[in-house]
């Protein structure tokens, strides 16, 4: 990173080798602020760089490549069961390994993000993702399920280095009026990858009897994924930048003045765990996103039970859920940037997620696929649209704590609930059918809605008591 130089007369001098002539023309000056560091006053310019959009889009792209692989086994669960000769629950673990890996590794990775910054995390993430894809290329034989699981483990480890980055990139690179939109774009890539993961595997890997032909189709899917992952890794190596030469906001300029010795990761975690509104958000975020993980992992099983032979439409329904959710994410991001109504928007979206899940549960077995497409789209708009809301609300509740730390705790909760809900709903579906399994999720979404309302009430009381104290 390059820190701007200033001449002895106070005028701005050379920006260093990290700032190109194109960037110099592209930047937009917002204002100048005076910082006090080590007792000295220093004028520092606040600027936004056009390259910020390339950084967030590159992040979105490798997040897409990684999240695609989360669901590529589950959406054709029955095909991989037959190819590798394993049970349905074993294939479910190809998705749940993403959730399980996240839980023990998130805290050291968040510490690394705080200490080493965005570029190191991006390099490790894309390297692990690339390695995992090539391991899977070598696993296309019925007796090599352990190898394909190893490749999926590498990709799941890469995910740990990805999920906490959207809010960090948004705060480090974007202005105060853009952070929610930028965070939504970061999450957008993850959602689009899941959408492609629902759509493409059923097309590339048809349900055919010939095992040699099936192996050929699986290898084509793995080779395409590996090629894309390799290209993205090379792009990150060549062009991904740690941070802009000049900070985008006054808050970021102030943050740069804090020396690493003044920051304690452990103390930050402890402060977050004493923040009651944030603890409630951790719980409610985990319930909502955990339900989404369960629905995504078990979607193939639910659709095939009521509509046999409809693997392609199962993928399209998953695509519908995610595309609708991406629209919801972008709308929520823009809405938050303009209104800053975090609490009210979060509660509204949560309640509508519960209603959407309830409608989806009771219409799945009606025998009309077009109805399932409609109800799944409505469910996805709100449930998937909640993802960036939770991140940004968490940052709002925990400022000035590190965004990666708050995002990591939220994602950790989501992974824990995702594993619990996927296992429990899978067993309920096996024994009592899909309706009972979906009602199981509805119960927890209702609990989450009540707790979100309680969270909103608690914060209103705190704000009111603070106002009375000031008076």
């Amino acid at each position: 990173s390059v820190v701007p130089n200033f001449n002895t007369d106070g005028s701005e001098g050379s920006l260093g080798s990290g700032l190109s002539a194109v960037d110099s023309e592209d930047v937009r000056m917002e204002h100048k602020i005076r910082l006090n560091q080590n007792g000295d006053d220093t004028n520092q310019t606040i600027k936004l760089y056009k390259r910020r959009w390339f950084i967030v889009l590159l992040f979105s792209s490798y997040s897409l490549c990684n999240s695609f692989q989360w669901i590529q086994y589950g959406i054709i669960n029955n095909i991989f069961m037959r190819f590798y000769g394993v049970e349905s629950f074993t294939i479910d673990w190809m998705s749940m390994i993403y959730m399980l890996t996240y839980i023990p590794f998130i805290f050291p990775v968040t510490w690394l993000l705080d200490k080493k910054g965005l570029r190191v995390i991006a390099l490790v993430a894309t390297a692990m993702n690339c390695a995992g894809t090539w391991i899977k290329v070598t696993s296309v034989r019925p007796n090599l399920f352990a190898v394909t699981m190893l490749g999926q483990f590498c990709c799941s480890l890469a995910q740990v280095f990805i999920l906490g980055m959207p809010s960090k990139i948004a705060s480090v690179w974007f202005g105060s009026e853009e952070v929610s939109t930028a965070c939504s774009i970061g999450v957008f890539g993850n959602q689009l990858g899941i959408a492609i993961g629902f759509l493409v595997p059923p097309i590339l890997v048809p349900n055919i009897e010939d095992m040699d032909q099936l192996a050929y189709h699986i290898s084509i899917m793995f080779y395409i994924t590996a090629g894309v992952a390799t290209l993205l890794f090379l792009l990150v190596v060549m062009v991904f930048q740690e941070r802009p030469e000049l900070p985008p906001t006054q808050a970021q300029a102030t943050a740069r003045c804090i020396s690493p010795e003044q920051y304690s990761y452990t103390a930050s975690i402890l402060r977050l765990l004493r923040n009651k509104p944030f603890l409630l958000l951790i719980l409610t975020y985990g319930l909502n996103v955990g339900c989404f993980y369960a629905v995504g992992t078990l979607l193939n099983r639910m659709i095939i039970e009521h509509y046999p032979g409809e693997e392609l439409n199962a993928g399209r329904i998953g695509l519908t859920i995610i595309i609708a959710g991406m629209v919801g994410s972008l709308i929520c991001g823009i809405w938050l940037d303009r209104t800053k109504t975090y609490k009210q928007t979060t509660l509204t979206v949560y309640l509508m997620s519960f209603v959407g899940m309830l409608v989806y549960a009771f219409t799945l077995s009606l025998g009309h696929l077009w109805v399932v497409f409609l109800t799944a789209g409505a469910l996805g708009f709100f449930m998937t649209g909640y993802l960036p809301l939770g991140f940004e609300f968490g940052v709002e509740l925990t400022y000035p704590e590190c965004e990666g730390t708050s995002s990591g705790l939220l994602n950790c909760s989501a992974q824990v609930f995702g594993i619990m809900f996927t296992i429990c709903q899978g067993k309920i579906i096996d024994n009592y059918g899909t309706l009972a399994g979906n009602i199981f999720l509805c119960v927890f979404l209702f609990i989450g809605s009540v707790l979100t309302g309680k969270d909103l009430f608690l914060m209103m009381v705190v704000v009111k008591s603070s106002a009375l104290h000031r008076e």
Side-chain angles (χ1 to χ4, degrees):
S1 302
V2 180
V3 178
N5 300 320
F6 294 89
N7 299 326
T8 53
D9 61 357
S11 62
E12 186 176 344
S14 170
L15 294 177
S17 60
L19 184 60
S20 66
V22 174
D23 285 326
S24 298
E25 294 174 0
D26 287 346
V27 297
R28 174 174 62 84
M29 182 182 297
E30 291 182 336
H31 57 281
K32 287 187 177 182
I33 62 170
R34 185 170 296 275
L35 300 175
N36 189 293
Q37 184 179 16
N38 300 325
D40 299 325
D41 287 338
T42 303
N43 289 321
Q44 186 162 328
T45 305
I46 304 302
K47 292 183 178 180
L48 291 178
Y49 296 82
K50 281 187 177 180
R51 81 175 81 161
R52 70 192 187 278
W53 298 109
F54 178 76
I55 294 293
V56 75
L57 287 174
L58 178 56
F59 166 76
S60 256
S61 298
Y62 73 74
S63 177
L64 178 156
C65 181
N66 180 262
S67 61
F68 164 82
Q69 296 172 83
W70 167 61
I71 203 64
Q72 72 177 158
Y73 293 91
I75 196 57
I76 47 175
N77 184 297
N78 55 324
I79 296 174
F80 275 111
M81 278 173 58
R82 187 162 55 83
F83 182 76
Y84 284 112
V86 295
E87 297 180 352
S88 176
F89 184 65
T90 305
I91 299 299
D92 289 344
W93 270 108
M94 300 299 284
S95 296
M96 288 192 287
I97 190 67
Y98 265 60
M99 308 173 206
L100 184 64
T101 305
Y102 190 90
I103 298 167
F105 286 104
I106 179 53
F107 295 108
V109 169
T110 305
W111 175 85
L112 194 63
L113 176 61
D114 290 340
K115 294 296 181 182
K116 299 299 182 181
L118 290 171
R119 179 170 168 80
V120 170
I121 297 299
L123 287 170
V124 175
T126 50
M128 292 296 300
N129 191 56
C130 184
T133 59
W134 284 107
I135 290 172
K136 285 194 273 188
V137 164
T138 68
S139 70
V140 190
R141 286 171 56 187
N143 63 331
L144 293 180
F145 179 77
V147 177
T148 208
M149 175 63 90
L150 175 63
Q152 189 74 341
F153 170 75
C154 289
C155 295
S156 70
L157 190 57
Q159 178 218 212
V160 185
F161 291 82
I162 292 172
L163 286 186
M165 286 184 70
S167 56
K168 183 74 171 178
I169 289 175
S171 63
V172 168
W173 280 92
F174 287 82
S176 57
E177 299 303 314
E178 302 172 330
V179 287
S180 293
T181 302
C183 188
S184 294
I185 293 172
V187 176
F188 179 91
N190 183 274
Q191 294 172 338
L192 183 58
I194 297 171
I196 297 172
F198 277 122
L199 178 67
V200 172
I203 296 172
L204 293 180
V205 186
N207 191 2
I208 54 180
E209 295 298 325
D210 189 313
M211 294 296 280
D212 291 334
Q213 281 294 310
L214 187 57
Y216 170 76
H217 288 291
I218 293 173
S219 68
I220 290 296
M221 178 173 69
F222 286 166
Y223 269 113
I224 292 172
T225 310
V228 173
T230 304
L231 174 62
L232 290 169
F233 171 62
L234 294 174
L235 279 173
V236 168
V237 170
M238 291 186 290
V239 300
F240 195 93
Q241 189 177 334
E242 169 65 28
R243 65 180 187 180
E245 287 76 11
L246 301 178
T249 62
Q250 182 172 350
Q252 276 299 304
T254 304
R256 291 189 184 191
C257 295
I258 301 174
S259 65
E261 291 75 18
Q262 293 176 272
Y263 176 78
S264 169
Y265 178 66
T266 305
S268 176
I269 291 285
L270 292 175
R271 285 193 297 271
L272 290 176
L273 295 178
R274 289 194 295 266
N275 184 331
K276 290 184 179 179
F278 182 64
L279 287 178
L280 270 176
L281 179 64
I282 289 175
L283 179 59
T284 56
Y285 184 87
L287 290 171
N288 189 300
V289 181
C291 288
F292 166 68
Y293 287 160
V295 170
T297 302
L298 301 173
L299 184 63
N300 172 271
R301 292 170 61 183
M302 289 190 281
I303 299 300
I304 294 302
E305 180 171 326
H306 295 288
Y307 307 93
E310 294 287 355
E311 289 90 358
L312 272 175
N313 275 320
R316 290 167 184 159
I317 290 168
L319 175 70
T320 303
I321 291 174
I322 304 303
I323 294 296
M326 292 190 313
V327 174
S329 294
L330 290 176
I331 290 174
C332 288
I334 294 169
W335 173 260
L336 288 181
D337 277 333
R338 293 184 177 180
T339 66
K340 306 297 182 185
T341 53
Y342 293 93
K343 298 178 283 292
Q344 298 89 331
T345 305
T346 301
L347 178 59
T348 301
V349 171
Y350 212 116
L351 282 169
M352 293 308 298
S353 297
F354 164 66
V355 173
M357 189 70 216
L358 205 59
V359 173
Y360 170 78
F362 284 98
T363 57
L364 179 61
S365 59
L366 292 181
H368 303 291
L369 269 172
W370 67 269
V371 175
V372 181
F373 274 96
L374 285 178
T375 56
L379 173 65
F381 182 87
F382 294 105
M383 183 177 281
T384 316
Y386 178 79
L387 294 173
L389 268 180
F391 280 143
E392 283 304 302
F393 194 22
V395 172
E396 181 77 6
L397 288 175
T398 59
Y399 180 83
E401 303 297 341
C402 176
E403 298 87 354
T405 308
S406 60
S407 298
L409 288 170
L410 290 174
N411 279 320
C412 190
S413 173
Q415 312 307 318
V416 171
F417 282 109
I419 293 172
M420 291 168 51
F421 289 164
T422 301
I423 293 174
C424 292
Q425 189 188 17
K427 295 298 182 184
I428 292 171
I429 288 173
D430 289 340
N431 293 309
Y432 303 102
T434 57
L435 179 60
N438 287 322
I439 289 176
F440 166 78
L441 296 184
C442 289
V443 170
F444 286 97
L445 283 172
F446 176 74
I447 293 171
S449 300
V450 172
L451 291 175
T452 301
K454 181 181 178 181
D455 194 4
L456 174 58
F457 176 75
L458 177 62
M459 282 180 286
M460 290 173 63
V461 170
V462 170
V463 170
K464 187 174 181 179
S465 62
S466 299
L468 291 173
H469 180 72
R470 285 194 300 270
E471 292 175 1

